[in-house]
Amino acid sequence: MSEPVNSNAAKPRFARTKGAPKAAPARLRQPELTREKIVEAAIDGLHRFGYSTTTTILVAHNAQVSSGAMLHHFPSKALLMAEVARLTYERDSAFYQRSVAHAVTAKQSRDLLIDAAWLRFKSPDGIAQVEIWQASRSDPELAAIVMPVHDEVTARSQERMHVLLKAAAPISRAQSRSVLLFTVATLRGLAMELALGTPEADLLPGIYRIKRALQDVIEEARAASTPTDYNLD
């Protein structure tokens, strides 16, 4: 909690750079900070304990906020989970963009993207997402709130995968979708194996097989066409 501002205290004078933005007063940012603490505590709970154990009571306790603050920001667990899904997917997208920003070839972009995806799927954010999707199968209220987020992210991911593969071979959208589903399902399964205690060294060959599968799809598409609208790499 921020200390209250004493308006009667002497205020030191500093030269202010012209045009420099003023920081928002701590009291104005407090609701935002409280919300962030709650969401991060929810992600931690989902990662460490799973969906059913991660109650709003547990989240409020771990976030060190009152039950009233919890209810103010998230009146239901389903709404909290929707915010977790939204935030973690935003982080995913930003991380992927940074990861491939300096790739030189299309193949390098694909390999870097798979490596980045593995880092995200095995992270607390990634495990939290899996916990939410699994819980939505038996919780209609949760499904109604989080599945639109899932569908939106899936649509964006399919488009990005199509653009990525299309740069290397004449891939159809149906092929791109198939590749995406295979990639996501494999990474998600490997991440859960890691969470259950399987050594990561035993799982890394699976990451190579994903990369190899993408390359196989591209080579098959190239073999069935002429190299006109794509880049050989």
Side-chain angles (χ1 to χ4, degrees), residues 18-213:
K18 186 177 181 180
K22 298 180 181 179
R27 66 180 179 275
L28 297 182
R29 296 189 63 240
Q30 193 60 45
E32 178 185 345
L33 294 174
T34 299
R35 187 179 180 88
E36 290 175 1
K37 286 170 58 178
I38 293 171
V39 175
E40 294 298 339
I43 293 171
D44 179 66
L46 290 166
H47 174 236
R48 293 170 58 197
F49 309 119
Y51 182 84
S52 61
T53 303
T54 305
T55 62
T56 54
I57 295 174
L58 176 69
V59 172
H61 174 77
N62 290 344
Q64 298 182 329
V65 302
S66 67
S67 58
M70 168 65 79
L71 288 172
H72 172 74
H73 289 283
F74 300 103
S76 71
K77 182 178 179 178
L79 289 172
L80 173 58
M81 295 300 108
E83 179 62 15
V84 168
R86 184 199 64 77
L87 176 63
T88 55
Y89 274 126
E90 282 187 357
R91 289 175 176 172
D92 287 347
S93 180
F95 187 75
Y96 296 153
Q97 290 181 15
R98 292 194 304 270
S99 297
V100 303
H102 302 294
V104 177
T105 67
K107 183 179 186 305
Q108 188 178 27
S109 292
R110 294 192 299 273
D111 289 347
L112 288 172
L113 183 60
I114 296 303
D115 289 337
W118 172 236
L119 291 176
R120 290 300 296 162
F121 271 83
K122 71 177 183 177
S123 71
D125 282 8
I127 300 300
Q129 290 171 3
V130 174
E131 290 288 338
I132 292 172
W133 305 141
Q134 289 180 333
S136 69
R137 294 178 63 243
S138 57
D139 187 335
E141 180 189 5
L142 178 64
I145 294 176
V146 302
M147 290 313 295
V149 178
H150 177 272
D151 293 343
E152 179 184 349
V153 171
T154 299
R156 291 203 307 264
S157 299
Q158 288 177 357
E159 181 62 27
R160 289 170 182 167
M161 178 64 78
H162 184 65
V163 170
L164 187 66
L165 295 179
K166 189 76 171 177
I171 300 290
S172 69
R173 290 191 177 275
Q175 288 173 306
S176 297
R177 183 176 185 275
S178 178
V179 169
L180 177 68
L181 292 175
F182 165 78
T183 301
V184 169
T186 304
L187 287 170
R188 186 172 290 154
L190 292 172
M192 291 308 295
E193 281 293 327
L194 183 65
L196 292 171
T198 302
E200 185 169 5
D202 294 345
L203 303 174
L204 291 180
I207 306 301
Y208 167 78
R209 290 184 182 279
I210 295 173
K211 296 177 182 179
R212 183 64 253 178

